[in-house]
Amino acid sequence: MNECYYDKRMDFFYNKTKTDTADEWTGPQLIVVLCFGTFFCLFIFISNSLVIAAVVKNKKFHFPFYYLLANLAAADFFAGIAYVFLMFNTGPVSKTLTVNRWFLRQGLLDTSLTASLVNLLVIAVERHMSIMRMKIHSNLTKKRVTFLIISIWAIAIFMGAVPTLGWNCLCDITVCSSLAPIYSRSYLVFWSVLNLVVFFIMVVVYIRIYMYVQRKTNVLSSHTSGSISRRRTPVKLMKTVMTVLGAFVVCWTPGLVVLLLDGLNCTYCGIQNVKRWFLLLALLNSVMNPIIYSYKDDEMWSTMKRMICCFSEDKSQDRRSSRIPSTVLCRSTDTSGHYIEDGIIQGTICGKGDLSDKGNS
């Protein structure tokens, strides 16, 4: 019967598998890494919070597609938490971790990846349901969308906990991997192949959906009198989703390939030299998604801009309240005949000011 090593610290497993834990990452190099990591994580928290707030605030986003998009932003926000935890529990610190703390570190990363992946699958189903009926949005009810979101996180948490539940090498260190010293190599093969296969399926599905939308839109455009912008809306949504999916696949595939090579016990592949760069690439995915949402979706960008504007305006007004009367807050600097129009625009953006008073002034 094999001996189990539940009470050992991670230095025992790192030494057994001869895993590099980057002892040289000290001093200025460590400070630079922490500074860049902190900046990226702060951006992830702020930008994805804005995406979620935009979906909640703007009634034009109160549809299944955008609820799922907000959940994808929540997965990226969770990924930021996972990266923060990893940042302060990696390098030389790795060897001092207990088995349970190391499982938590990796489990958070696996959960965030699974949440994003499953969410993209559900979005593919939602897009398929709507596009086959040539509608902008599907007929999913709020209860069903809520159930789907809960299911996404249940699956993600379960997949993140699988190694902790028993699929590890604590009782057979001969099958331990190099990159993840207490993960079984068979689990790494299963994990990486599963995700790569799902990547491939999703890419094929989205390409087929996109081709169908393009073909159907071109046919209908010559037989319908609807506005051009309305006919193009499904295509714009598909472009947003496909851009997000493309960024996800590009950022995560190299890391999954490295895990697969490690699971196959490729001792001459030099995976230790590239693992940190591929992890950074995965981190960039959570940074890129909010930028994609705002760049590809004009309504999303304008909503986020209004929220930032109102926040800045509120702080500015608080500073000037003792010097400027409340009746001129949010007033346009333009004193020409466009004053009323500018006042309406600013009132819409900031949600302040009495437009009727401005009209009578």
Side-chain angles (χ1 to χ4, degrees), residues 115-289:
S116 298
L117 183 62
V118 179
N119 207 98
L120 284 170
L121 274 173
V122 174
I123 290 177
V125 174
E126 191 275 340
R127 288 293 83 201
H128 186 272
M129 291 174 59
S130 60
I131 287 170
M132 291 301 108
R133 299 178 176 88
M134 284 309 295
K135 294 182 177 180
I136 298 176
H137 299 290
S138 66
N139 295 325
L140 285 174
T141 63
K142 287 187 178 181
K143 287 185 177 180
R144 289 183 178 179
V145 173
T146 302
F147 173 76
L148 287 173
I149 291 175
I150 293 174
S151 300
I152 288 170
W153 285 102
I155 294 172
I157 293 171
F158 173 76
M159 292 302 296
V162 166
T164 310
L165 298 176
W167 200 345
N168 54 61
C169 63
L170 293 177
C171 296
D172 187 6
I173 59 176
T174 61
V175 298
C176 288
S177 68
S178 174
L179 293 178
I182 56 178
Y183 276 12
S184 172
R185 287 197 298 271
S186 61
Y187 172 75
L188 288 188
V189 172
F190 161 78
W191 171 257
S192 54
V193 169
L194 175 64
N195 284 282
L196 290 172
V197 169
V198 174
F199 282 3
F200 178 76
I201 293 174
M202 281 200 302
V203 170
V204 172
V205 169
Y206 276 113
I207 290 176
R208 286 176 60 88
I209 292 176
Y210 183 74
M211 292 175 63
Y212 175 83
V213 170
Q214 288 280 42
R215 185 172 65 252
K216 210 63 171 164
T217 302
N218 292 334
V219 171
L220 293 177
S221 62
S222 60
H223 299 285
T224 60
S225 58
S227 66
I228 295 175
S229 61
R230 181 171 179 82
R231 290 198 299 267
R232 288 179 178 174
T233 300
V235 179
K236 290 175 66 177
L237 291 179
M238 280 306 304
K239 286 181 177 179
T240 300
V241 174
M242 291 188 68
T243 305
V244 171
L245 175 63
F248 186 78
V249 171
V250 169
C251 290
W252 280 98
T253 298
L256 291 173
V257 171
V258 167
L259 288 178
L260 177 60
L261 293 175
D262 187 29
L264 296 175
N265 200 23
C266 181
T267 56
Y268 53 86
C269 295
I271 55 179
Q272 292 290 345
N273 300 325
V274 297
K275 64 178 183 180
R276 298 182 193 91
W277 301 109
F278 289 163
L279 182 62
L280 179 61
L281 185 62
L283 169 65
L284 288 178
N285 178 240
S286 298
V287 175
M288 292 169 59
N289 281 344

Side-chain angles (χ1 to χ4, degrees), residues 53-108:
V55 173
V56 174
K57 182 179 178 64
N58 194 332
K59 291 184 179 180
K60 292 182 180 179
F61 296 148
H62 291 184
F63 293 98
F65 172 79
Y66 287 104
Y67 291 145
L68 294 171
L69 202 66
N71 192 51
L72 189 60
D76 286 326
F77 188 96
F78 184 85
I81 297 175
Y83 292 130
V84 169
F85 191 84
L86 172 67
M87 192 166 50
F88 293 99
N89 291 275
T90 191
V93 182
S94 298
K95 287 188 175 183
T96 66
L97 299 178
T98 63
V99 167
N100 290 333
R101 192 172 181 84
W102 196 93
F103 272 136
L104 176 62
R105 189 189 82 174
Q106 298 304 122
L108 290 174

